[in-house]
Amino acid sequence: MKNILEVKNLSYQYSENDLILSNVSFQLQSNTLLGIIGPNGGGKTTLLRIIAGLIPIQEGEIVWNGKEISKNFHKELRLSYVPQRDTVNTSLPITVKDMIIFGNLPDKVNKRELSKLLEKLGLTKLKDSLIKELSGGQLQRVLLAKALIRRPSVLLLDEPTKGLDSTGQDQLLNLMNTIQEETECSIILVDHNINQVIKHCDEILCLNRKHHWHDKKELFNTDIMNSVYHCEFEHSLIHENQKDGKVTEHHQCSVHPEGHEHD
């Protein structure tokens, strides 16, 4: 598979003494689901926002299909970004259907594609409901539909399972696996649920201000985890037989890098 997106030597700081990303590099292959994990304050959200063009690049490059587009990627990149759900204003008097097509010219939205997307995401019966009436899981699916209606080549998801129970997390990430397979869309997923990332993603990027590790999930182990989070786990994170796609239960350690509130 070829690289669809490359991040090269990306660094970013909010102030002189607040370096949040340092020399981060990784590749995203076509039709791949890449999971990004790391502690709070490690720069995960900042990285997604830079790739999405919401924050200007300070140092480094972004390469799209072999073309360096760091200064002009908003015109080149077929990309959709789904922010954390709690950043969305749900008080707007807008329906599910209107929310999905908002930002797109109505005559450019294929009605048949919209209908199929609503059905796939289980939103058909909710299309005329106000977004303020939705549950957290329903709103997350609306945000996904809004992103997917643009038929992106790359989809960025910032903690899509946040606030969902384990069943809801599984359902949502199984849906992402299905969408990836059917549309060949490459996905970058930020999530704090390490078990879910290991279960559903093809590759893992460990980020704690700098790039610690990036490879196939089968090569991921507790030594790598400890190097990123700088803590020991009471139980092994990875099941001995990773071929089964299972991981052991573990106690999540809470890590908050000193002096950083940015994620």
Side-chain angles (χ1 to χ4, degrees):
M1 291 187 291
K2 67 174 183 178
N3 291 333
I4 188 171
L5 182 71
E6 294 181 72
V7 173
K8 296 183 177 182
N9 306 314
L10 195 68
S11 295
Y12 189 87
Q13 57 186 48
Y14 288 102
S15 64
E16 184 176 353
N17 299 315
D18 192 9
L19 182 65
I20 191 65
L21 293 173
S22 177
N23 201 34
V24 174
S25 298
F26 68 93
Q27 304 82 39
L28 176 68
Q29 294 184 327
S30 59
N31 195 23
T32 296
L33 205 168
L34 171 66
I36 301 180
I37 61 173
N40 292 330
K44 300 182 298 297
T45 292
T46 299
L47 175 61
L48 287 194
R49 288 173 63 82
I50 291 173
I51 296 173
L54 300 175
I55 299 177
I57 293 175
Q58 292 177 343
E59 293 183 31
E61 297 179 354
I62 294 178
V63 178
W64 166 253
N65 280 330
K67 182 179 180 181
E68 202 278 312
I69 51 173
S70 304
K71 307 301 182 184
N72 203 28
F73 60 85
H74 64 286
K75 294 182 180 180
E76 299 280 349
L77 194 57
R78 284 181 52 205
L79 177 148
S80 289
Y81 170 62
V82 181
Q84 294 184 25
R85 191 175 69 242
D86 53 14
T87 64
V88 178
N89 183 359
T90 57
S91 64
L92 294 173
I94 187 172
T95 66
V96 166
K97 181 180 177 181
D98 289 338
M99 178 72 169
I100 293 171
I101 65 176
F102 185 72
N104 296 280
L105 294 175
D107 60 346
K108 297 294 184 181
V109 176
N110 186 297
K111 293 182 179 180
R112 185 175 180 181
E113 284 187 20
L114 177 60
S115 179
K116 290 174 63 177
L117 189 58
L118 288 168
E119 182 178 358
K120 182 183 293 294
L121 296 180
L123 296 171
T124 302
K125 294 182 179 180
L126 296 172
K127 65 180 181 179
D128 296 318
S129 299
L130 294 175
I131 59 171
K132 65 181 180 181
E133 300 171 345
L134 304 179
S135 68
Q138 290 169 338
L139 178 59
Q140 188 65 63
R141 282 183 276 137
V142 171
L143 296 177
L144 282 173
K146 181 176 176 60
L148 292 169
I149 197 67
R150 301 180 62 190
R151 290 180 288 179
S153 297
V154 176
L155 178 63
L156 308 178
L157 303 173
D158 194 358
E159 296 193 40
T161 66
K162 185 177 180 180
L164 303 182
D165 60 22
S166 58
T167 300
Q169 292 174 7
D170 253 339
Q171 290 174 344
L172 184 65
L173 292 178
N174 280 330
L175 180 61
M176 296 317 305
N177 288 139
T178 299
I179 289 171
Q180 176 198 356
E181 292 172 2
E182 292 182 354
T183 66
E184 296 187 355
C185 176
S186 297
I187 300 172
I188 300 179
L189 164 75
V190 165
D191 209 296
H192 281 290
N193 190 319
I194 300 166
N195 279 343
Q196 293 286 19
V197 170
I198 294 170
K199 179 178 179 181
H200 292 279
C201 295
D202 304 306
E203 297 182 357
I204 297 174
L205 170 67
C206 297
L207 183 69
N208 187 358
R209 301 188 224 174
K210 64 180 182 179
H211 163 189
H212 280 257
W213 186 84
H214 172 216
D215 214 319
K216 297 178 180 179
K217 66 179 179 181
E218 290 82 8
L219 302 177
F220 186 70
N221 58 48
T222 51
D223 290 336
I224 295 168
M225 176 61 63
N226 289 334
S227 75
V228 177
Y229 286 88
H230 308 302
C231 66
E232 298 295 329
F233 289 86
E234 296 179 17
H235 299 288
S236 175
L237 177 68
I238 310 299
H239 193 278
E240 291 182 2
N241 188 355
Q242 290 182 324
K243 292 182 180 179
D244 292 337
K246 299 177 181 179
V247 293
T248 57
E249 293 295 325
H250 66 283
H251 296 288
Q252 184 101 17
C253 64
S254 224
V255 182
H256 302 273
E258 294 182 4
H260 285 267
E261 296 178 355
H262 313 294
D263 199 3

